[in-house]
Amino acid sequence: MQWAGVRSSFPAPTAAWMGRRPRTARWPRGRLPAARGAVVASAAASDANSSSNSPGKDEEREEVARREEEEKAAASLIMRSQKYAMLKQQLAVAAQFEDYKEAARLRDSLRSFEEEEPVLRLRGLMRKAIEEERFEGIRVQVRSVYIESRSQPLKGQFFFAYRIRITNNSQRPVQLLRRHWIVTDGNGRTENIWGVGVVGEQPVIFPRTGFEYSSACPLSTPNGRMEGDFEMKHIDKAGSSTFNVAIAPFSLSILGDDNDVLL
């Protein structure tokens, strides 16, 4: 039996119904390799730029870290110097009011502080050497002081002044001809300085007399040291040979000097 005159409401079969796979959108033929190459090239260029800039950035970071360490070291040394000065002041007050128990405690604290602080320990050894230093009857004494008003710690500028006394304990007059200094900063950098006479003079020092002068030395670190020698000769006899008078090492430190003198 057949149905006649009846139209089906179902649509005609499509490709999907016939077992065919519908075509999906694809990247235009021939463009995918080029686009992928552009992305790879861009990434490679970015890596190259990063590699070329990294050394400069590393140096910049190292410089910043170095400056921060120097600032921390300077700040730490300033704090220790303030503590040392406070202990000395407290000791002077205790002695003034005859509080001997407190004075003894503060004295022991100062000694411990000096033993732990390399600059102070070195200064004690230097002072002893200076007091015992004698060459050809010539004695050289040195005192140094930190000049805060002319220093800028955050910029690595530390200014020190020193006063020298030369005493002639011999029986013959001498003349100071030349000087030689070896200046060493806190980082171990050394500078040699030679010059004629001192402070523009070539002084003659007679027996049992002395000569004093003041000078200064800038440093890039909060501590350092100086040492050297004076070239001298006896002037009471023609043709006398010259001789050198050694100057024992002395400290340059923002901690100051226990026996500062007016400059």
PDB file of all heavy atoms in Angstrom, residues 99-125:
ATOM      1  N   ASP A  99      82.466  57.859  92.662  1.00  0.00           N
ATOM      2  CA  ASP A  99      81.716  56.601  92.666  1.00  0.00           C
ATOM      3  C   ASP A  99      82.652  55.538  92.086  1.00  0.00           C
ATOM      4  O   ASP A  99      82.566  55.163  90.915  1.00  0.00           O
ATOM      5  CB  ASP A  99      80.444  56.734  91.827  1.00  0.00           C
ATOM      6  CG  ASP A  99      79.536  55.511  91.959  1.00  0.00           C
ATOM      7  OD1 ASP A  99      79.995  54.497  92.522  1.00  0.00           O
ATOM      8  OD2 ASP A  99      78.393  55.571  91.477  1.00  0.00           O
ATOM      9  N   TYR A 100      83.545  55.035  92.924  1.00  0.00           N
ATOM     10  CA  TYR A 100      84.619  54.170  92.441  1.00  0.00           C
ATOM     11  C   TYR A 100      84.109  52.803  91.976  1.00  0.00           C
ATOM     12  O   TYR A 100      84.698  52.193  91.074  1.00  0.00           O
ATOM     13  CB  TYR A 100      85.681  54.010  93.532  1.00  0.00           C
ATOM     14  CG  TYR A 100      86.302  55.328  93.923  1.00  0.00           C
ATOM     15  CD1 TYR A 100      86.173  55.827  95.221  1.00  0.00           C
ATOM     16  CD2 TYR A 100      86.995  56.089  92.992  1.00  0.00           C
ATOM     17  CE1 TYR A 100      86.717  57.049  95.581  1.00  0.00           C
ATOM     18  CE2 TYR A 100      87.553  57.312  93.338  1.00  0.00           C
ATOM     19  CZ  TYR A 100      87.404  57.794  94.641  1.00  0.00           C
ATOM     20  OH  TYR A 100      87.941  58.995  94.979  1.00  0.00           O
ATOM     21  N   LYS A 101      83.037  52.341  92.569  1.00  0.00           N
ATOM     22  CA  LYS A 101      82.487  51.056  92.126  1.00  0.00           C
ATOM     23  C   LYS A 101      81.967  51.171  90.687  1.00  0.00           C
ATOM     24  O   LYS A 101      82.234  50.321  89.837  1.00  0.00           O
ATOM     25  CB  LYS A 101      81.360  50.625  93.073  1.00  0.00           C
ATOM     26  CG  LYS A 101      80.769  49.263  92.721  1.00  0.00           C
ATOM     27  CD  LYS A 101      79.705  48.860  93.748  1.00  0.00           C
ATOM     28  CE  LYS A 101      79.123  47.489  93.394  1.00  0.00           C
ATOM     29  NZ  LYS A 101      78.089  47.072  94.392  1.00  0.00           N
ATOM     30  N   GLU A 102      81.216  52.246  90.434  1.00  0.00           N
ATOM     31  CA  GLU A 102      80.699  52.464  89.084  1.00  0.00           C
ATOM     32  C   GLU A 102      81.843  52.763  88.112  1.00  0.00           C
ATOM     33  O   GLU A 102      81.833  52.316  86.955  1.00  0.00           O
ATOM     34  CB  GLU A 102      79.706  53.630  89.085  1.00  0.00           C
ATOM     35  CG  GLU A 102      79.116  53.982  87.727  1.00  0.00           C
ATOM     36  CD  GLU A 102      78.251  52.882  87.141  1.00  0.00           C
ATOM     37  OE1 GLU A 102      77.960  51.904  87.857  1.00  0.00           O
ATOM     38  OE2 GLU A 102      77.864  53.011  85.971  1.00  0.00           O
ATOM     39  N   ALA A 103      82.844  53.490  88.574  1.00  0.00           N
ATOM     40  CA  ALA A 103      83.996  53.808  87.713  1.00  0.00           C
ATOM     41  C   ALA A 103      84.739  52.533  87.313  1.00  0.00           C
ATOM     42  O   ALA A 103      85.176  52.389  86.167  1.00  0.00           O
ATOM     43  CB  ALA A 103      84.931  54.769  88.434  1.00  0.00           C
ATOM     44  N   ALA A 104      84.880  51.603  88.260  1.00  0.00           N
ATOM     45  CA  ALA A 104      85.561  50.345  87.949  1.00  0.00           C
ATOM     46  C   ALA A 104      84.757  49.538  86.923  1.00  0.00           C
ATOM     47  O   ALA A 104      85.331  48.932  86.008  1.00  0.00           O
ATOM     48  CB  ALA A 104      85.756  49.539  89.227  1.00  0.00           C
ATOM     49  N   ARG A 105      83.426  49.545  87.082  1.00  0.00           N
ATOM     50  CA  ARG A 105      82.588  48.814  86.126  1.00  0.00           C
ATOM     51  C   ARG A 105      82.713  49.413  84.725  1.00  0.00           C
ATOM     52  O   ARG A 105      82.860  48.690  83.722  1.00  0.00           O
ATOM     53  CB  ARG A 105      81.131  48.856  86.578  1.00  0.00           C
ATOM     54  CG  ARG A 105      80.200  48.006  85.715  1.00  0.00           C
ATOM     55  CD  ARG A 105      78.743  48.253  86.076  1.00  0.00           C
ATOM     56  NE  ARG A 105      78.330  49.598  85.696  1.00  0.00           N
ATOM     57  CZ  ARG A 105      77.987  49.945  84.446  1.00  0.00           C
ATOM     58  NH1 ARG A 105      78.019  49.040  83.477  1.00  0.00           N
ATOM     59  NH2 ARG A 105      77.613  51.172  84.178  1.00  0.00           N
ATOM     60  N   LEU A 106      82.676  50.736  84.650  1.00  0.00           N
ATOM     61  CA  LEU A 106      82.780  51.411  83.361  1.00  0.00           C
ATOM     62  C   LEU A 106      84.171  51.225  82.745  1.00  0.00           C
ATOM     63  O   LEU A 106      84.307  51.068  81.527  1.00  0.00           O
ATOM     64  CB  LEU A 106      82.482  52.904  83.525  1.00  0.00           C
ATOM     65  CG  LEU A 106      81.028  53.251  83.856  1.00  0.00           C
ATOM     66  CD1 LEU A 106      80.899  54.703  84.271  1.00  0.00           C
ATOM     67  CD2 LEU A 106      80.124  52.949  82.661  1.00  0.00           C
ATOM     68  N   ARG A 107      85.192  51.206  83.601  1.00  0.00           N
ATOM     69  CA  ARG A 107      86.549  50.984  83.105  1.00  0.00           C
ATOM     70  C   ARG A 107      86.676  49.600  82.470  1.00  0.00           C
ATOM     71  O   ARG A 107      87.256  49.445  81.396  1.00  0.00           O
ATOM     72  CB  ARG A 107      87.554  51.119  84.254  1.00  0.00           C
ATOM     73  CG  ARG A 107      89.013  50.923  83.838  1.00  0.00           C
ATOM     74  CD  ARG A 107      89.857  50.697  85.064  1.00  0.00           C
ATOM     75  NE  ARG A 107      89.398  49.514  85.786  1.00  0.00           N
ATOM     76  CZ  ARG A 107      89.700  49.249  87.055  1.00  0.00           C
ATOM     77  NH1 ARG A 107      90.441  50.084  87.751  1.00  0.00           N
ATOM     78  NH2 ARG A 107      89.245  48.146  87.633  1.00  0.00           N
ATOM     79  N   ASP A 108      86.079  48.597  83.139  1.00  0.00           N
ATOM     80  CA  ASP A 108      86.108  47.241  82.570  1.00  0.00           C
ATOM     81  C   ASP A 108      85.325  47.172  81.264  1.00  0.00           C
ATOM     82  O   ASP A 108      85.727  46.472  80.322  1.00  0.00           O
ATOM     83  CB  ASP A 108      85.528  46.243  83.583  1.00  0.00           C
ATOM     84  CG  ASP A 108      86.407  46.088  84.816  1.00  0.00           C
ATOM     85  OD1 ASP A 108      87.608  46.443  84.731  1.00  0.00           O
ATOM     86  OD2 ASP A 108      85.906  45.624  85.852  1.00  0.00           O
ATOM     87  N   SER A 109      84.205  47.906  81.198  1.00  0.00           N
ATOM     88  CA  SER A 109      83.423  47.933  79.955  1.00  0.00           C
ATOM     89  C   SER A 109      84.219  48.560  78.824  1.00  0.00           C
ATOM     90  O   SER A 109      84.194  48.083  77.680  1.00  0.00           O
ATOM     91  CB  SER A 109      82.117  48.707  80.182  1.00  0.00           C
ATOM     92  OG  SER A 109      81.295  48.064  81.135  1.00  0.00           O
ATOM     93  N   LEU A 110      84.947  49.621  79.145  1.00  0.00           N
ATOM     94  CA  LEU A 110      85.778  50.274  78.138  1.00  0.00           C
ATOM     95  C   LEU A 110      86.887  49.346  77.647  1.00  0.00           C
ATOM     96  O   LEU A 110      87.179  49.284  76.448  1.00  0.00           O
ATOM     97  CB  LEU A 110      86.389  51.561  78.711  1.00  0.00           C
ATOM     98  CG  LEU A 110      85.490  52.799  78.687  1.00  0.00           C
ATOM     99  CD1 LEU A 110      86.106  53.922  79.506  1.00  0.00           C
ATOM    100  CD2 LEU A 110      85.235  53.253  77.255  1.00  0.00           C
ATOM    101  N   ARG A 111      87.500  48.637  78.567  1.00  0.00           N
ATOM    102  CA  ARG A 111      88.563  47.714  78.180  1.00  0.00           C
ATOM    103  C   ARG A 111      88.027  46.607  77.270  1.00  0.00           C
ATOM    104  O   ARG A 111      88.667  46.249  76.270  1.00  0.00           O
ATOM    105  CB  ARG A 111      89.213  47.114  79.434  1.00  0.00           C
ATOM    106  CG  ARG A 111      90.109  48.092  80.183  1.00  0.00           C
ATOM    107  CD  ARG A 111      90.691  47.448  81.427  1.00  0.00           C
ATOM    108  NE  ARG A 111      91.595  48.359  82.129  1.00  0.00           N
ATOM    109  CZ  ARG A 111      92.142  48.081  83.306  1.00  0.00           C
ATOM    110  NH1 ARG A 111      91.879  46.914  83.913  1.00  0.00           N
ATOM    111  NH2 ARG A 111      92.951  48.962  83.881  1.00  0.00           N
ATOM    112  N   SER A 112      86.862  46.070  77.635  1.00  0.00           N
ATOM    113  CA  SER A 112      86.262  45.030  76.791  1.00  0.00           C
ATOM    114  C   SER A 112      85.920  45.579  75.415  1.00  0.00           C
ATOM    115  O   SER A 112      86.136  44.915  74.389  1.00  0.00           O
ATOM    116  CB  SER A 112      84.994  44.482  77.453  1.00  0.00           C
ATOM    117  OG  SER A 112      85.297  43.884  78.706  1.00  0.00           O
ATOM    118  N   PHE A 113      85.396  46.800  75.401  1.00  0.00           N
ATOM    119  CA  PHE A 113      85.045  47.433  74.129  1.00  0.00           C
ATOM    120  C   PHE A 113      86.283  47.617  73.265  1.00  0.00           C
ATOM    121  O   PHE A 113      86.272  47.360  72.057  1.00  0.00           O
ATOM    122  CB  PHE A 113      84.383  48.781  74.402  1.00  0.00           C
ATOM    123  CG  PHE A 113      83.717  49.395  73.206  1.00  0.00           C
ATOM    124  CD1 PHE A 113      82.380  49.185  72.957  1.00  0.00           C
ATOM    125  CD2 PHE A 113      84.441  50.181  72.327  1.00  0.00           C
ATOM    126  CE1 PHE A 113      81.761  49.740  71.856  1.00  0.00           C
ATOM    127  CE2 PHE A 113      83.839  50.740  71.212  1.00  0.00           C
ATOM    128  CZ  PHE A 113      82.492  50.524  70.981  1.00  0.00           C
ATOM    129  N   GLU A 114      87.387  48.054  73.875  1.00  0.00           N
ATOM    130  CA  GLU A 114      88.626  48.285  73.133  1.00  0.00           C
ATOM    131  C   GLU A 114      89.239  46.986  72.622  1.00  0.00           C
ATOM    132  O   GLU A 114      89.840  46.949  71.549  1.00  0.00           O
ATOM    133  CB  GLU A 114      89.627  49.033  74.021  1.00  0.00           C
ATOM    134  CG  GLU A 114      89.199  50.473  74.306  1.00  0.00           C
ATOM    135  CD  GLU A 114      90.095  51.147  75.339  1.00  0.00           C
ATOM    136  OE1 GLU A 114      90.955  50.436  75.915  1.00  0.00           O
ATOM    137  OE2 GLU A 114      89.925  52.353  75.575  1.00  0.00           O
ATOM    138  N   GLU A 115      89.090  45.915  73.396  1.00  0.00           N
ATOM    139  CA  GLU A 115      89.620  44.626  72.961  1.00  0.00           C
ATOM    140  C   GLU A 115      88.824  44.056  71.787  1.00  0.00           C
ATOM    141  O   GLU A 115      89.376  43.386  70.917  1.00  0.00           O
ATOM    142  CB  GLU A 115      89.605  43.631  74.127  1.00  0.00           C
ATOM    143  CG  GLU A 115      90.634  43.964  75.212  1.00  0.00           C
ATOM    144  CD  GLU A 115      90.516  43.037  76.406  1.00  0.00           C
ATOM    145  OE1 GLU A 115      89.600  42.178  76.376  1.00  0.00           O
ATOM    146  OE2 GLU A 115      91.318  43.164  77.351  1.00  0.00           O
ATOM    147  N   GLU A 116      87.518  44.337  71.758  1.00  0.00           N
ATOM    148  CA  GLU A 116      86.680  43.828  70.686  1.00  0.00           C
ATOM    149  C   GLU A 116      86.736  44.687  69.434  1.00  0.00           C
ATOM    150  O   GLU A 116      86.437  44.212  68.345  1.00  0.00           O
ATOM    151  CB  GLU A 116      85.222  43.733  71.171  1.00  0.00           C
ATOM    152  CG  GLU A 116      85.022  42.733  72.298  1.00  0.00           C
ATOM    153  CD  GLU A 116      83.618  42.792  72.872  1.00  0.00           C
ATOM    154  OE1 GLU A 116      82.823  43.646  72.400  1.00  0.00           O
ATOM    155  OE2 GLU A 116      83.317  42.005  73.781  1.00  0.00           O
ATOM    156  N   GLU A 117      87.093  45.957  69.586  1.00  0.00           N
ATOM    157  CA  GLU A 117      87.123  46.880  68.449  1.00  0.00           C
ATOM    158  C   GLU A 117      88.525  46.900  67.845  1.00  0.00           C
ATOM    159  O   GLU A 117      89.471  47.350  68.489  1.00  0.00           O
ATOM    160  CB  GLU A 117      86.736  48.291  68.914  1.00  0.00           C
ATOM    161  CG  GLU A 117      86.662  49.306  67.794  1.00  0.00           C
ATOM    162  CD  GLU A 117      85.608  48.925  66.774  1.00  0.00           C
ATOM    163  OE1 GLU A 117      84.483  48.572  67.168  1.00  0.00           O
ATOM    164  OE2 GLU A 117      85.935  48.974  65.582  1.00  0.00           O
ATOM    165  N   PRO A 118      88.696  46.404  66.623  1.00  0.00           N
ATOM    166  CA  PRO A 118      90.042  46.310  66.019  1.00  0.00           C
ATOM    167  C   PRO A 118      90.769  47.642  65.960  1.00  0.00           C
ATOM    168  O   PRO A 118      91.971  47.710  66.211  1.00  0.00           O
ATOM    169  CB  PRO A 118      89.750  45.771  64.613  1.00  0.00           C
ATOM    170  CG  PRO A 118      88.444  45.076  64.731  1.00  0.00           C
ATOM    171  CD  PRO A 118      87.667  45.853  65.735  1.00  0.00           C
ATOM    172  N   VAL A 119      90.053  48.716  65.649  1.00  0.00           N
ATOM    173  CA  VAL A 119      90.700  50.023  65.525  1.00  0.00           C
ATOM    174  C   VAL A 119      91.275  50.471  66.861  1.00  0.00           C
ATOM    175  O   VAL A 119      92.400  50.965  66.940  1.00  0.00           O
ATOM    176  CB  VAL A 119      89.699  51.066  64.991  1.00  0.00           C
ATOM    177  CG1 VAL A 119      90.316  52.455  65.020  1.00  0.00           C
ATOM    178  CG2 VAL A 119      89.283  50.707  63.573  1.00  0.00           C
ATOM    179  N   LEU A 120      90.512  50.274  67.930  1.00  0.00           N
ATOM    180  CA  LEU A 120      90.982  50.692  69.256  1.00  0.00           C
ATOM    181  C   LEU A 120      92.143  49.822  69.724  1.00  0.00           C
ATOM    182  O   LEU A 120      93.086  50.311  70.359  1.00  0.00           O
ATOM    183  CB  LEU A 120      89.828  50.621  70.255  1.00  0.00           C
ATOM    184  CG  LEU A 120      88.673  51.596  69.993  1.00  0.00           C
ATOM    185  CD1 LEU A 120      87.555  51.354  70.988  1.00  0.00           C
ATOM    186  CD2 LEU A 120      89.153  53.030  70.064  1.00  0.00           C
ATOM    187  N   ARG A 121      92.074  48.528  69.423  1.00  0.00           N
ATOM    188  CA  ARG A 121      93.169  47.649  69.810  1.00  0.00           C
ATOM    189  C   ARG A 121      94.451  48.032  69.076  1.00  0.00           C
ATOM    190  O   ARG A 121      95.536  48.087  69.672  1.00  0.00           O
ATOM    191  CB  ARG A 121      92.803  46.197  69.507  1.00  0.00           C
ATOM    192  CG  ARG A 121      93.845  45.201  70.025  1.00  0.00           C
ATOM    193  CD  ARG A 121      93.335  43.772  69.935  1.00  0.00           C
ATOM    194  NE  ARG A 121      93.095  43.360  68.562  1.00  0.00           N
ATOM    195  CZ  ARG A 121      91.889  43.165  68.049  1.00  0.00           C
ATOM    196  NH1 ARG A 121      90.807  43.360  68.774  1.00  0.00           N
ATOM    197  NH2 ARG A 121      91.746  42.787  66.784  1.00  0.00           N
ATOM    198  N   LEU A 122      94.328  48.320  67.789  1.00  0.00           N
ATOM    199  CA  LEU A 122      95.493  48.737  67.009  1.00  0.00           C
ATOM    200  C   LEU A 122      96.032  50.065  67.514  1.00  0.00           C
ATOM    201  O   LEU A 122      97.242  50.267  67.575  1.00  0.00           O
ATOM    202  CB  LEU A 122      95.100  48.857  65.532  1.00  0.00           C
ATOM    203  CG  LEU A 122      96.193  49.341  64.574  1.00  0.00           C
ATOM    204  CD1 LEU A 122      97.364  48.369  64.564  1.00  0.00           C
ATOM    205  CD2 LEU A 122      95.624  49.505  63.167  1.00  0.00           C
ATOM    206  N   ARG A 123      95.117  50.966  67.901  1.00  0.00           N
ATOM    207  CA  ARG A 123      95.565  52.262  68.395  1.00  0.00           C
ATOM    208  C   ARG A 123      96.416  52.128  69.646  1.00  0.00           C
ATOM    209  O   ARG A 123      97.411  52.820  69.818  1.00  0.00           O
ATOM    210  CB  ARG A 123      94.355  53.151  68.689  1.00  0.00           C
ATOM    211  CG  ARG A 123      94.744  54.517  69.218  1.00  0.00           C
ATOM    212  CD  ARG A 123      93.545  55.250  69.733  1.00  0.00           C
ATOM    213  NE  ARG A 123      92.591  55.464  68.670  1.00  0.00           N
ATOM    214  CZ  ARG A 123      91.303  55.753  68.892  1.00  0.00           C
ATOM    215  NH1 ARG A 123      90.850  55.804  70.128  1.00  0.00           N
ATOM    216  NH2 ARG A 123      90.489  55.956  67.875  1.00  0.00           N
ATOM    217  N   GLY A 124      96.011  51.209  70.551  1.00  0.00           N
ATOM    218  CA  GLY A 124      96.805  51.011  71.762  1.00  0.00           C
ATOM    219  C   GLY A 124      98.213  50.544  71.440  1.00  0.00           C
ATOM    220  O   GLY A 124      99.185  51.011  72.045  1.00  0.00           O
ATOM    221  N   LEU A 125      98.325  49.619  70.501  1.00  0.00           N
ATOM    222  CA  LEU A 125      99.652  49.145  70.104  1.00  0.00           C
ATOM    223  C   LEU A 125     100.457  50.256  69.431  1.00  0.00           C
ATOM    224  O   LEU A 125     101.667  50.390  69.656  1.00  0.00           O
ATOM    225  CB  LEU A 125      99.505  47.954  69.155  1.00  0.00           C
ATOM    226  CG  LEU A 125      98.833  46.707  69.743  1.00  0.00           C
ATOM    227  CD1 LEU A 125      98.622  45.651  68.661  1.00  0.00           C
ATOM    228  CD2 LEU A 125      99.669  46.141  70.890  1.00  0.00           C
TER     229      LEU A 125
END
